[in-house]
Each structure stands twice: as C-alpha cells, then as structure tokens.
Amino acid sequence: MSKRGSLACVGIGMMLGAHIGARARATIERADVVFMAVSDPLVELWLQGMHRDVRSLQPCYGGGRSRRQAYAEMVALLLSEVRAGHRVCAAFYGHPGVFAVAPHQAIAQARAEGYEAHMEPGISAEDCLYADLGLDPGATGCQHFEAGQFLQYRRHVDRGALLVLWQVGMAVSGPGGRQLPMGAWQRLLLQRLLQDYPADHTVTLYEAATLAIARPRIEGMRLSGLEGAGLRPQTTLVLPPCAALQPDRAILEEIAASEPAESRCATIKSTV
C-alpha cells in the first residue's frame, strides 16, 4: 500500500503557456506544494498564477555546487515534502524525462520508499525540432547524442541517418575538472565530426522558441563553420544524412525466399 505523500514530475513544454497539457496543468493546480526547475521570471509568474505555493529549485545550483550535488539537493527537497505527507508537483521545462536527471532520481527514490510517483510528459525541444525543421525521424532513422558524451566516447555514426547533437554549447570539463574554453571545445567537436562528414556538409543550428512572439533559431551553415558559430547551452546541432541507405542483400534475399509461392507468382506476373 502506498503512503500518503506523492510525487508528480510534470513537463510544461517549451513555449510559455502554449505547450502544457491538461493533465500536467491539473496536477499543478491540485498539488499541496509545487517546485519549479525554471530560471525565467515570466515562467515563474505564470506558474505562481496557477498555485499559491510555488518554490524555486534554482538555488540548488548556487554555492559552487556541481551539477551532481545540485540534483541531489533537488531530490532531497522534493522527497522531504513527500515524506511529510504532501502531494508534491515538480515542474520542468519541456519533457521532465528528457535531459533532466533529478526527476528520474526523485521518482525512483519515492517509489523505493513506498510513495506514489509518476511523470507527466510535456512537449520537448525534440518535438519542436521535428516540427520547425520539417523532419521525420522515421524517413531515414535518427540518432541522438548529448554532445559532450558524443565527443568523449567512441560512438558509431550512421551517415545514412539524421544525427542530432544536443547541448553543443556546453563545453565539457577536462580531467582536472576545469571546463574547456568554448573555442577549444568547438574545435574538438568539429574535428570529431569531420571524421564522418565532409567539411562542406550543410548542418543546422537549432533552438526552440520559448515565447509565442519569438521565432525558433534555425541557422544553416557548412560544417566547417561550426568552430566560429555562436553556440549556447540550448543549441542543438542537426546533421542530415550524407550517404544513401545501403540495402542488406542477404536479408532481402532471405525475405524473398520466405514469401509464399503464390505471392512470388503474383509478383512475377505483375512485373511481366
């Protein structure tokens, strides 16, 4: 049997007031306490208009804390209210399960302690990207990587599919913990991408719009121009395929051989 307290991590979408779903809104309105992991004053005011007790999680990032420490403090704040028997709602930009560590950790911890916990999805930057750029991930397939992870680990790139690199404006840290200068980071990322793509390959820098009066950032350029491009933490890099899909002849022959005789005959007749 679940305990009295509960936790819901909800997504408010990317665009202020326009992307939030009915279930997420209702969860915010019915909660005893609402935490928000947002840094925009307009979003804060909007959330405060839906609930009388809205508390910011942004101070968790202060005091020189690492991101890991900040996430741990967020989880502790959420769980302390859950353990007190309250219905707790935590609101996150976009989708609360996408590029957000604290929601997953908090939900897992709450469930482990016997509390009811769930996640309400929201419209993410990925959803906006497909709409704004007119892309169908099912056309050629799509591979997604966080840019820092992509650079630091051996990842195999399918050049016949879309490649989407997230957070290309967040430079990684070196072995000593010091963050790389942005110029060095961009140079290393470009060098890695040139292993799989030609320098004149057309790529797109993308940032979703967060206000109805704003436009998304859609900036096309040659891959070689990436080193001097203006990158922000929210910038996404999209690389279209640079090679055709390669048929697997052995599999195609096996599929053809497994077809019923009647189907093969019909296929032959239709081609005569």
Side-chain angles (χ1 to χ4, degrees):
M1 180 180 295
S2 62
K3 301 178 182 178
R4 182 171 174 269
S6 65
L7 172 65
C9 293
V10 307
I12 60 173
M14 298 302 299
M15 187 175 291
L16 175 61
H19 287 170
I20 188 170
R23 286 173 60 92
R25 182 184 291 275
T27 302
I28 291 172
E29 293 173 344
R30 296 170 184 169
D32 294 321
V33 57
V34 175
F35 287 91
M36 57 181 179
V38 298
S39 57
D40 190 319
L42 288 177
V43 180
E44 291 187 21
L45 288 172
W46 173 68
L47 284 170
Q48 289 167 356
M50 281 191 278
H51 199 280
R52 66 187 182 283
D53 188 359
V54 178
R55 309 174 191 178
S56 177
L57 291 171
Q58 289 302 119
C60 296
Y61 289 110
R65 301 180 184 88
S66 67
R67 284 193 168 270
R68 180 175 298 181
Q69 293 171 323
Y71 298 149
E73 185 168 334
M74 288 180 187
V75 172
L77 287 172
L78 298 178
L79 267 294
S80 66
E81 293 294 331
V82 173
R83 294 177 188 127
H86 298 149
R87 291 173 298 181
V88 179
C89 176
F92 295 83
Y93 273 123
H95 190 301
V98 178
F99 287 96
V101 175
H104 288 291
Q105 292 181 342
I107 288 174
Q109 182 63 37
R111 288 174 176 172
E113 295 182 19
Y115 296 100
E116 179 185 342
H118 75 284
M119 183 178 288
E120 288 293 342
I123 293 178
S124 68
E126 179 185 351
D127 301 313
C128 297
L129 181 150
Y130 294 141
D132 291 335
L133 300 186
L135 299 175
D136 179 0
T140 60
C142 190
Q143 50 207 327
H144 295 261
F145 299 105
E146 192 276 329
Q149 184 190 86
F150 175 80
L151 187 61
Q152 296 179 84
Y153 295 89
R154 295 182 182 273
R155 310 309 300 254
H156 298 287
V157 174
D158 182 351
R159 302 195 314 151
L162 282 165
L163 173 63
V164 181
L165 296 181
W166 298 92
Q167 298 179 334
V168 292
M170 291 183 66
V172 298
S173 299
R178 184 176 64 86
Q179 193 174 51
L180 286 177
M182 183 53 63
W185 156 251
Q186 289 178 260
R187 183 170 60 254
L188 286 173
L189 182 60
L190 175 60
Q191 290 174 0
R192 170 63 186 87
L193 290 170
L194 288 174
Q195 296 176 18
D196 293 292
Y197 296 88
D200 62 352
H201 191 56
T202 299
V203 303
T204 301
L205 297 179
Y206 174 77
E207 295 171 14
T210 56
L211 295 172
I213 60 174
R215 301 292 298 171
R217 179 187 183 186
I218 303 175
E219 183 180 344
M221 64 176 62
R222 292 184 176 183
L223 178 58
S224 58
L226 179 64
E227 188 173 343
L231 304 182
R232 294 184 281 263
Q234 69 270 31
T235 306
T236 301
L237 177 64
V238 182
L239 295 91
C242 68
L245 294 174
Q246 299 299 310
D248 189 323
R249 301 297 181 187
I251 291 294
L252 291 174
E253 291 175 2
E254 188 171 335
I255 292 173
S258 66
E259 291 181 350
E262 298 83 357
S263 175
R264 291 201 299 273
C265 291
T267 301
I268 292 172
K269 291 179 180 178
S270 67
T271 59
V272 174

